[in-house]
Amino acid sequence: MGIEKNGVNIECVQGDISRQDDVDVVVNAANSELAPGGGVAGVIHRAAGSELYEECKDLAPIDVGECVLTNAYNLPNTYVIHCLGPRYGIDKPEKELLSSCYANALELADGKGVESIAFPSISTGAFGYPFRDAAEVALGTVFKKVDNLKNLEKIRFVLYSQNDFLVFKDILGR
Ligand code: AR6
């Protein structure tokens, strides 16, 4: 499922963020220490190998809403962008902080000159952000940012469950 805006393809798929072999950048739903953890951070670090955490150690800690870029090692991508999303009910204002994650990641990737990026749904697992609200923030931010991108041509959301995919599909179809 996808749409085009300003020459940029915005799409959503059901799948695993660590298996997106046709995109330049994958985004990690990181913790502040950029360490391997559960959920997305777990699969990304496992698939990339231990060199990823070695590079991450020098860049940590990061703030909520902040993003940093590393190599992707054994992942089938060129870079990983690690974003720290807000913990729902704790880090406020959560909507602005979640939006910053997407906006900052898009700027960072676009500045590197890459053409494609894949996002998971940041903050909606361990960090407890209600899924539909987070999806509205994610897609709303991407829609605003696409008008200012120079290099990115494809922005993909990778949703783990079918329900989550259907929520993105519904919002994207409006
Ligand atoms: N591919 C795509 N999406 C996934 C995958 C996958 N392989 N696995 C889970 N999801 P989370 P957060 C979905 O918890 O809420 C970690 O322990 C999942 O269903 O990974 O930002 C870190 O170390 C959910 O919708 O990220 C941090 O401490 C979404 O990805 C903390 O969790 C995000 O879930 C970050 O929490």
Side-chain angles (χ1 to χ4, degrees):
M1 161 70 187
I3 59 145
E4 205 187 288
K5 186 174 184 237
N6 203 31
V8 181
N9 219 292
I10 304 166
E11 61 183 32
C12 60
V13 301
Q14 188 184 350
D16 181 336
I17 192 70
S18 69
R19 292 167 179 262
Q20 303 301 309
D21 56 13
D22 58 343
V23 296
D24 301 313
V25 177
V26 286
V27 174
N28 180 17
N31 48 66
S32 59
E33 294 305 317
L34 304 176
V40 168
V43 294
I44 284 194
H45 277 271
R46 263 195 304 282
S50 59
E51 283 171 299
L52 178 60
Y53 185 39
E54 288 307 312
E55 184 177 354
C56 281
K57 283 176 186 165
D58 292 335
L59 304 170
I62 63 168
D63 291 329
V64 182
E66 197 188 343
C67 301
V68 293
L69 181 139
T70 65
N71 293 306
Y73 301 98
N74 296 333
L75 280 161
N77 316 98
T78 310
Y79 301 113
V80 180
I81 290 180
H82 308 259
C83 293
L84 178 59
R87 292 164 299 168
Y88 194 74
I90 297 172
D91 300 313
K92 297 189 180 197
E94 45 229 348
K95 190 175 166 192
E96 284 73 11
L97 290 167
L98 184 60
S99 180
S100 293
C101 288
Y102 291 99
N104 290 336
L106 288 173
E107 273 174 30
L108 198 49
D110 200 55
K112 274 279 171 186
V114 300
E115 290 178 1
S116 52
I117 184 167
F119 285 97
S121 173
I122 297 166
S123 284
T124 57
F127 285 176
Y129 209 116
F131 195 85
R132 184 172 280 271
D133 293 349
E136 298 272 7
V137 173
L139 284 167
T141 305
V142 165
F143 263 73
K144 253 188 251 153
K145 288 298 282 185
V146 285
D147 296 335
N148 302 318
L149 299 172
K150 294 191 180 66
N151 299 300
L152 279 170
E153 293 172 0
K154 187 202 293 262
I155 301 168
R156 176 182 296 162
F157 287 92
V158 181
L159 297 320
Y160 207 43
S161 74
Q162 193 189 16
N163 262 356
D164 292 350
F165 165 70
L166 291 175
V167 171
F168 267 76
K169 188 173 167 220
D170 180 45
I171 298 170
L172 203 50
R174 282 199 316 243

